[in-house]
Amino acid sequence: MQLPCARQPSTHPVLRHCVALLRLHLPSPSVAAAKQIHARALRATGVTLSHPLLAKHLLFHLASLRAGAPPLLYAVAVLSRLLPDPDPFSLNTVLRIAASSARPRLALALHRRRLAPPDTHTYPPLLQACTRLLALREGESLHAEAAKNGLVALVFVKNSLVHHYGACGLFESAHRVFDEIPVLERNLVSWNSVMNGFAANGRPNEVLTIFRETFEVDLMPDGFTIVSVLNACAEIGALALGRRVHVFASKVGLVGNRHVGNALIDLYAKCGGVEDARKVFEDMGVGRTVVSWTSLIVGLAGNGFGKDALELFGLMEREKLIPTDITMVGVLYACSHCGLVDDGFRYFNEMKDKYGIAPKIEHLGCMVDLLGRAGRVEEAHDYISTMPLEPNAVVWRTLLGACAMHKKLELGEAAWSRLVELDPGHSGDYVLLSNLYAAVGRWADVHVLRKTMVTHGVRKNPGHSLVEIRNSVYEFVMGDRSHPESDQIYLMLAEIAERLRRQGYVPRTSNVLADIEEEEKEAALNYHSERLAIAFALLKCLPGTPIRIVKNLRVCGDCHLVIKLISKVYDREIIVRDRSRFHHFKGGECSCKDYW
């Protein structure tokens, strides 16, 4: 926002000198300088407290502050001297300061007083305030008001609307507003806002579609663009595409951007490329932040390299860096997935005593998971009963999962009863309880539970696996025959089964939690979605190429054993990302050490 040239109601030399000083300080504005210059002007004869020219320059000086938040109360005090008729520029400047402050609602309150007619710069800060407050209704009202005033067609108003609707979860509305902007008027903020809206709402495919469209308008992306695209690639496990974005970012000089670097670490970690994540981390050098360390720690933990994650955390501590609450979630997650119960409790206590981080529900959930995975389910239940925060559905679901894993029926039913109160209708809870009943042979209860799901309209998410081959992502579901090369895939499955039998493989039919015959159970295991994806990859990938699978459910014990054997028999590295972690299979071994 540029300072307008205004008529000077006074030609007092001290006033002109003070305005010149305010302009002189604009490259590095400060509150102290503004107050000193303000005081000098007020001491001069003939310069009043309500002088509009002085107020404009003071407010513009305050709005230009970069380090720290502009002093909102000071700005409002300056504006109050212009009442009851402040000029639009001064009012808009205070709206801007309020919208980015700790009290964004003040901007909306000032607007409701109708102190000056809105102009081209009124609505962006107001919409920013609504976005920070996630005040959807107020944002919609401002949208209607801007349309009524004939100001909604301005690109910076449209951009603010796109960002607002995306942040409030209405990504379709955000895209609709974006489409209303003429192509030639769209700027980088327009494209970044619509991509960020899709990214924030779990729509990675739309992010990538929009990104491809940017090349048609010859748009030069910035760090925000690349971060959105890398996050989308990470979410769907599109490693090859992410690598190309990495190369593109290098060509346009954005790899030095620390936010891009952090997004690259996250991308490679979430796609199983641990060594690539390490390399990006090392290449960042002095540009590494706590976020960089945290991203790699969480990535190592999620990939099954828990001890490496804890070693990295130790190095971070030696660097005198202060971990965040997210860092500690990664550390506790590493302990949980490695079975390091004592270490987990030690880190949990250090988090409070050494770093002053108050435990959040995520940390407490990690402790429940730590005990539950280790088979100490009763202790996990007692821990929930005494935790300082009210346990949420995720915590009880973690306990139910542990009960299903270790066949603790009574505690599982207790956890289920709490989940029915906290999050009724969650399909995953029905599945976990059904698996628990099946594991202990209570098939009548399994059937009753499934009928209840139908009655209540609860739909189970079908298991599926994704595999990326030569820039294309293929999806498989259990027993899938929709693929055009289905016959070849099933022939490959038969070949795999035969070769594994020669290695002594016997199907673990206990992993089929269905009341069917043994032969049917063996067939069901053989056609799990991850096996179809692996068979297709063996047909299509060059020898020696790692196979990367993304599965939306937890890998069953039998498939885990089979993939270990395939990695040995076919001499392939197979990386499987399931619902909660990565498994790196190589030479008949898995990075999880069969503890998951």
Side-chain angles (χ1 to χ4, degrees):
M1 182 165 59
Q2 294 183 342
L3 192 65
C5 294
R7 290 181 301 166
Q8 298 187 19
S10 171
T11 57
H12 195 289
V14 175
L15 174 64
R16 294 198 301 271
H17 180 63
C18 290
V19 168
L21 285 175
L22 286 168
R23 286 174 170 170
L24 185 66
H25 280 83
L26 275 181
S28 54
S30 71
V31 177
K35 288 184 175 180
Q36 288 174 358
I37 297 167
H38 192 185
R40 177 169 182 172
L42 295 180
R43 283 198 302 267
T45 303
V47 180
T48 64
L49 290 172
S50 59
H51 199 290
L53 183 63
L54 178 62
K56 285 180 182 180
H57 283 84
L58 274 170
L59 292 172
F60 187 73
H61 184 95
L62 295 175
S64 301
L65 290 172
R66 294 289 180 267
L72 177 60
L73 295 181
Y74 182 29
V76 171
V78 172
L79 177 69
S80 68
R81 299 298 181 179
L82 302 176
L83 298 179
D85 298 309
D87 61 280
F89 177 84
S90 297
L91 177 58
N92 290 341
T93 304
V94 175
L95 293 179
R96 209 171 122 206
I97 293 171
S100 58
S101 75
R103 298 174 60 190
R105 194 168 290 282
L106 181 58
L108 302 177
L110 285 171
H111 180 66
R112 282 193 290 270
R113 293 175 65 183
R114 307 299 178 190
L115 300 173
D119 65 10
T120 56
H121 293 284
T122 302
Y123 291 104
L126 292 172
L127 288 166
Q128 179 191 356
C130 291
T131 301
R132 293 188 60 208
L133 294 165
L134 296 180
L136 176 61
R137 298 299 171 229
E138 287 90 335
E140 289 176 328
S141 296
L142 289 170
H143 188 174
E145 182 185 313
K148 182 180 178 181
N149 293 334
L151 298 171
V152 77
L154 299 169
V155 67
F156 36 88
V157 175
K158 291 281 192 188
N159 289 346
S160 299
L161 285 167
V162 171
H163 180 58
H164 173 67
Y165 285 129
C168 291
L170 273 67
F171 55 86
E172 292 176 340
S173 297
H175 191 237
R176 186 161 50 250
V177 175
F178 173 79
D179 279 341
E180 292 171 359
I181 306 174
V183 174
L184 295 180
E185 293 183 21
R186 293 173 185 167
N187 55 27
L188 186 57
V189 176
S190 313
W191 292 93
N192 282 347
S193 296
V194 71
M195 280 192 279
N196 186 64
F198 280 127
N201 289 282
R203 311 290 292 193
N205 291 316
E206 285 84 347
V207 175
L208 300 179
T209 298
I210 296 291
F211 181 59
R212 281 193 289 269
E213 292 176 7
T214 65
F215 291 98
E216 299 174 8
V217 295
D218 196 26
L219 186 77
M220 179 57 67
D222 63 2
F224 293 106
T225 319
I226 298 301
V227 167
S228 290
V229 176
L230 289 172
N231 288 342
C233 293
E235 189 167 342
I236 63 174
L239 178 60
L241 179 57
R243 288 191 197 279
R244 293 204 302 279
V245 176
H246 187 176
V247 171
F248 176 77
S250 300
K251 287 182 179 178
V252 298
L254 289 172
V255 168
N257 181 306
R258 64 181 58 185
H259 300 294
V260 172
N262 293 338
L264 282 167
I265 294 172
D266 186 59
L267 163 78
Y268 287 125
K270 285 183 176 176
C271 292
V274 174
E275 293 308 313
D276 290 314
R278 288 183 194 268
K279 186 176 187 309
V280 172
F281 178 81
E282 294 297 332
D283 290 345
M284 289 179 72
V286 295
R288 292 192 293 255
T289 64
V290 172
V291 175
S292 315
W293 288 83
T294 298
S295 297
L296 188 55
I297 288 168
V298 172
L300 288 169
N303 276 275
F305 302 102
K307 292 186 178 178
D308 290 352
L310 298 179
E311 288 177 8
L312 185 66
F313 178 66
L315 182 59
M316 178 182 172
E317 289 185 305
R318 289 194 290 276
E319 293 282 333
K320 307 299 183 184
L321 293 171
I322 306 299
T324 67
D325 56 334
I326 300 174
T327 315
M328 297 311 301
V329 169
V331 170
L332 297 176
Y333 184 95
C335 294
S336 173
H337 285 258
C338 291
L340 303 173
V341 177
D342 293 339
D343 288 334
F345 275 93
R346 176 170 59 82
Y347 284 119
F348 182 79
N349 292 330
E350 285 184 359
M351 177 184 77
K352 298 181 294 182
D353 302 336
K354 187 175 180 181
Y355 297 112
I357 299 174
K360 294 184 176 179
I361 197 67
E362 292 84 359
H363 304 106
L364 299 170
C366 283
M367 303 308 291
V368 173
D369 188 49
L370 175 71
L371 291 167
R373 285 180 186 274
R376 295 160 64 169
V377 183
E378 291 81 3
E379 291 179 59
H381 180 263
D382 293 341
Y383 190 88
I384 293 175
S385 302
T386 58
M387 67 169 53
L389 299 178
E390 183 69 24
N392 61 13
V394 175
V395 172
W396 286 108
R397 191 168 294 126
T398 300
L399 179 65
L400 178 57
C403 292
M405 185 186 305
H406 298 289
K407 302 180 182 179
K408 300 291 185 179
L409 181 60
E410 185 177 344
L411 288 177
E413 289 180 325
W416 162 260
S417 66
R418 293 294 293 124
L419 284 166
V420 170
E421 297 174 9
L422 294 170
D423 190 10
H426 191 287
S427 63
D429 300 336
Y430 281 89
V431 172
L432 286 172
L433 184 62
S434 175
N435 290 347
L436 175 55
Y437 282 144
V440 297
R442 287 177 51 170
W443 296 108
D445 290 314
V446 171
H447 297 316
V448 170
L449 197 61
R450 289 177 180 172
K451 286 182 180 178
T452 304
M453 290 179 69
V454 173
T455 303
H456 293 167
V458 178
R459 300 185 62 182
K460 174 182 176 292
N461 292 324
H464 68 259
S465 295
L466 305 175
V467 59
E468 184 183 15
I469 299 173
R470 288 192 286 277
N471 304 329
S472 295
V473 177
Y474 301 89
E475 180 178 355
F476 294 90
V477 297
M478 179 178 171
D480 195 354
R481 287 190 178 271
S482 62
H483 194 279
E485 299 181 61
S486 183
D487 290 343
Q488 293 92 323
I489 293 171
Y490 276 80
L491 284 173
M492 175 56 77
L493 279 176
E495 178 196 311
I496 292 171
E498 180 58 32
R499 292 186 66 172
L500 296 190
R501 283 193 188 92
R502 294 177 197 161
Q503 295 290 318
Y505 162 69
V506 176
R508 295 182 178 180
T509 53
S510 60
N511 289 125
V512 179
L513 300 177
D515 192 12
I516 56 178
E517 298 296 328
E518 285 297 306
E519 190 174 325
E520 293 177 280
K521 289 183 178 182
E522 289 189 24
L525 287 171
N526 197 38
Y527 300 146
H528 276 189
S529 63
E530 58 266 51
R531 300 199 199 183
L532 291 167
I534 291 171
F536 180 65
L538 288 172
L539 286 170
K540 295 297 179 180
C541 291
L542 294 174
T545 306
I547 296 172
R548 301 176 186 275
I549 308 293
V550 177
K551 183 177 172 67
N552 68 326
L553 302 178
R554 185 176 183 269
V555 174
C556 76
D558 187 73
C559 285
H560 192 270
L561 171 61
V562 163
I563 300 171
K564 283 201 301 182
L565 292 173
I566 291 174
S567 73
K568 178 181 178 181
V569 171
Y570 287 86
D571 191 23
R572 283 293 185 90
E573 180 181 6
I574 303 173
I575 302 164
V576 178
R577 170 183 165 188
D578 73 2
R579 184 179 60 194
S580 61
R581 64 172 297 160
F582 274 91
H583 298 268
H584 291 250
F585 300 93
K586 191 172 183 180
E589 300 292 335
C590 180
S591 59
C592 75
K593 310 299 182 187
D594 297 338
Y595 186 89
W596 86 100

